[in-house]
Amino acid sequence: MISPLNEVAMGEKKSDIVLKNCKLVNVYSREVMPQMQIAILKDRIAYVGKDASHTIGKNTAVIDLEEKFVTPGFADSHIHIDQYILPSELAKHSLLCGTTTLFSDPIDIVSVCGYKGFREFVKMTENLPIRVFHMVPGGLPVDRKFSHARTISKTEQKKAFELENVLGMGEVFSWTKVTTRDPSTIQNLRYMLENDGIINGHTAGASDKKLNAYIASGIFSCHEPIDYDQVMERLRLGMWVMMREGSIRRDLDKIIPNVLSQKTYFDRLMFCTDGVTPKDLLEFGMIDHCIKKSVSMGMELIDAITIASRNCFEYYRMGKDLGGIAPGKLADILVFDDINKLKPDKVFVGGRLVVAHGRLVFKNPKPTIPKWITKTVRTGRKFAENDFIVKSGGSSVQALVIKLDTEIITRKDQEELHVKDGNVTASLDKDVWKVAAIDRTYGTRKQCVAFLKTFGGNIGAFGCTQSFHENDLMIIGSNEKDMAFVANELVKTQGGMVAAKDGKTICKFEMPVAGLVSKLPLEEAVTRYNEIDEKIAETGCKFKQPHLIPLFLPFLALPEVRILYTGVIDVKNRTYLKVLNG
Ligand SMILES: [Fe+2]
């Protein structure tokens, strides 16, 4: 390709497309250049300058952009593409927001389906009109003592890394596995480093010698800093920071104002979403939202665009091909009618027009979903009331309760609960609910039933097959009958979220792809998804996003108490807790 590009630049060969009258946002020189012209041959840029007329032949499409802003495509440096909607749906809406490249970490599909799931999701992103690069999930198991999620073996890791568009290892969650030199973790890191793989970090809570040890092990990025001090601590030690603004957390508010006031070098800063819910994707967008938010806090637009494009590709060692508009680069180009709105009018990916007049102009290949991936909710039985009974003698008992401080953060607490016919019951008066974690991956029939406090919603039961990153079947309920009903519904639909009362479904969001992803178009997914939160909130739930509760209840990387199908876990003391006292 070098010679043809060289020939076009010299005018000895003609280009395919010329974009003229561009207001070019140059992320290399930090200038906005008026009246620029860009000549494209096949998928790459051959010429950028004031006059591309020498590259124009009779077959060249010349597009007059009438002094519109032209920028490189944006990149999401860390996103989970195995949540809520199919990659093909995510691709469409990313492109409409100007995000032309996704750096994906498909951790949950691996936790349910192992390597086979990883392979399938990589396959689902092939032939999409967007660039998707993958990291082999490096966060599993979250905790070697308690986790039961499927993982990727050493041989599979090698196979995964050899696939096209797989760049290295995704967020290495548990930094203690690195600082204690867990042999398997160190072996994985060594393999990636010896083979020139990139390793993404996850250093929440690590500092000083532990952070040093982590970085010294070859992990040079992190998307966990939640404020400026944490950003600086990592930049000072040579790390790259992916600033997160997505559905899990929104961190820009606490980072950008200080980056600006302290005049911090921003060449090692990137943006990431770390995953977006259907609702947020439709409402906020993706990396375009990160840019807008940074600009609203005082950042120069050109700097925010540089963070969203060039910096990310340089971290991923792709700077020679992507990240800016210059000769030799792949032609991933956005054209804006109104740069302040940041909604692209045109999007080119590799010289191909995929968005025009703000609308998609390509036929998204129909996703192929193999049958096996829609048959993953294996509980080995039909559920009955008895499955949710907590046996005890007497008329009351002291029970451990998992108290919700937020949808995500929990604390240990105690409550005296009533025993009826040998079964410890939930108590609406005390705002104590039953919560069950059930194995839905291996069909072992293993489960744990415990108690949850401050859920607040007067529903019969609410269940979900998606839970970070163990993916147990989680059911919260006020009575055993509805809990069994919801569990059976989720087996029937092979995954998703269901809320029910008195044996009737109140709302349902089906996610049959590995119990994690819906087959619905984004707009419909948003309706279903919103309905879950709205309907549960209507019943008195204290939290705005009740769907997050079962999602995070098994997440072992957060305090203070978690529940898995193997039992209730004290995260700090790393022990199982008894559900009933005495
Ligand atoms: Fe993540």
Side-chain angles (χ1 to χ4, degrees), residues 78 80 105 171 173 202 223-224 244 274:
H78 174 70
H80 299 283
D105 186 333
E171 50 183 338
F173 265 168
H202 186 290
H223 63 277
E224 287 297 319
R244 175 170 48 189
D274 201 4

Side-chain angles (χ1 to χ4, degrees), residues 299-311:
M299 184 173 268
E300 293 285 340
L301 178 70
I302 192 163
D303 294 341
I305 289 174
T306 304
I307 290 172
S309 54
R310 191 196 72 181
N311 291 8

Side-chain angles (χ1 to χ4, degrees), residues 73-75 94-95 98-102 130-131 332 334 347-349:
F74 308 144
S94 304
L95 289 171
T99 302
T100 51
T101 304
L102 306 174
I130 190 170
R131 297 186 197 282
D332 291 7
L334 313 179
V347 176
F348 293 89
V349 176

Side-chain angles (χ1 to χ4, degrees), residues 470-534:
E470 311 297 332
N471 289 300
D472 289 3
L473 169 57
M474 304 298 299
I475 315 267
I476 297 164
S478 60
N479 68 81
E480 295 75 15
K481 211 171 179 175
D482 281 331
M483 291 177 85
F485 175 83
V486 163
N488 288 329
E489 279 298 295
L490 286 168
V491 174
K492 210 192 293 171
T493 57
Q494 281 296 298
M497 303 179 199
V498 172
K501 194 172 181 181
D502 303 327
K504 282 195 189 110
T505 300
I506 304 170
C507 49
K508 176 157 79 173
F509 178 25
E510 294 183 20
M511 301 194 288
V513 180
L516 305 172
V517 169
S518 143
K519 291 183 191 171
L520 296 172
L522 178 72
E523 292 78 0
E524 273 181 60
V526 171
T527 307
R528 299 274 158 273
Y529 172 91
N530 287 352
E531 215 173 55
I532 295 281
D533 281 343
E534 285 161 13

Side-chain angles (χ1 to χ4, degrees), residues 99 112 211 350 398 550:
T99 302
V112 177
L211 185 58
Q398 273 289 321

